[in-house]
Amino acid sequence: MSDSGTRVGTDVKMTSYWLDTAVPSGDYRTTTIPKEVDVAVVGAGFTGLSTALHAARAGRSVAVLEANTVVWGASGRNGGMATTGLAIGFRQALRRYGEQRAIGYFTEYNRAIDLIEDIVRENGLDVDYARSGKMNLAWKESHFEGLTQTADALRRLVGQPVRIVDRESIRSEIGSDVYHGAMVDPLGAGVHVAKFGHELARLAVEAGATVHENAEVVDVTRIGDGTTHVLQTSRGTIRAGKVVIGTSGYTGRPFGWVQRRIVPVGSFIVVTEPLPQAVADELLPNRRMASDTKNFIYYFRITPDNRLLFGGRARFAQSDPSSDRKSGEILIRAMHHVFPQMREARIDYMWGGLVDISMDQMVHAGEHRGLFYSTSYSGHGVQMATYMGKVMADVVSGRPEANVWRDLRNPWIPGHYGAPWMLPLGGAWYGLQDKLS
Ligand SMILES: Cc1cc2nc3c(=O)[nH]c(=O)nc-3n(C[C@H](O)[C@H](O)[C@H](O)COP(=O)(O)OP(=O)(O)OC[C@H]3O[C@@H](n4cnc5c(N)ncnc54)[C@H](O)[C@@H]3O)c2cc1C
């Protein structure tokens, strides 16, 4: 037992529930790396796999180079929530960017969920995809007022079919009394992210792309007139006309320019044993993808086999086995606070991963010195990384206008050369804001 009462079995799996319950579409650890391709994609998460799928379907020769295995990174470790809206609030987007741009950025996320749905439907994928909606839960009374104003703005300016649930009716949406109300958006969706990622890899290969696991890109050189890149990988060398970087919070030295613009922040998840149907129905009767309004956010959902998945930032720390366990213990206490009826539930899984957060918490995608990149999904990449893969396939084919984020300033994070020394400071700052809001 943990000190919080929940049974954490000695055999708790310190691995992603999603990865543990999905079958890879192939073993790509020894595939032969081609000598030359039109497009080399770095990273086999949703960004990389979707880029590969769409570029290969457009007739390009494509190789995906992955340091670990398919969806090893954030794509296989997240909450499985394809939700509407930006990482920042819609009213904040209105203040920063004005009406037209804020609406444009917001609706891009609706399109991103539609793309996942299209891929699932058109290819007959069995990936537990469901448009069961999302809800934002107000941690404080003042947050509820904010949600009400946001809902008004979204209905009026975007036509988003959101609705407000007040505290008196909250039990129609959640088996908890800690929240002050919610904003529900029926357009959010859930998906089994590892099944989806493995299917993306299969579809990309069927379209003609090659996938190479255990192939870390350690160096990239631009040669000749700049139209060719030589990529050194841990499994050999490959030449490519275009390079697309999709390495999110795992971006390292060969891509220092991108790395210095991303703070990799740990996000952590615990998953319970399968719950009786009646308990799952009490916790989240409508199976919404749920998150709350704190900076030290909690997010949760019911998995396809009726477990409660409960995640959060927990400690503003990096993710490693010891950090994942400490964060897991914090999350278990949080889960008990939100759902006291879970006190006796056994914890079967506990893990963490890195979220790629930018200074402005906006997506950043474009080209720098001949290298294309799409990163900084700031915790909202299930849908957006998949979508940006399609966009980047267009961009490398000479259609930069497909990328709505291209004009955003993408500043360097001062003093950030690699190790994210600023995490404790960020944690203290956001914790204070949570207290004061
Ligand atoms: C715990 C957690 C919960 C989250 N929950 C949600 C959620 O519910 N909803 C949501 O929308 N988003 C969520 N996110 C964010 C979302 O998962 C990510 O934004 C998205 O998966 C990013 O996809 P990606 O393909 O860009 O990167 P990743 O999936 O991280 O893939 C990057 C890959 O690049 C590889 N790589 C790195 N460097 C190299 C190199 N030099 N050579 C070769 N390969 C390299 C890595 O091994 C990795 O596999 C969550 C993230 C985490 C960590």
Side-chain angles (χ1 to χ4, degrees), residues 42-48 65-69 72-75 77-82 215-217 246-252 254-255 267-269 299 351-356 374 377 379-383 385:
V42 189
F46 295 148
T47 302
L65 305 160
E66 164 55 52
N68 295 284
T69 43
W72 171 91
S75 298
R77 297 163 185 256
N78 56 63
M81 308 184 187
E216 181 180 1
V217 175
T247 47
S248 81
Y250 298 88
T251 307
F255 311 109
S267 191
F268 307 90
I269 291 179
Y299 50 86
W351 74 92
L354 297 176
V355 173
D356 51 344
S374 181
Y377 305 110
H380 292 242
V382 167
Q383 66 303 73

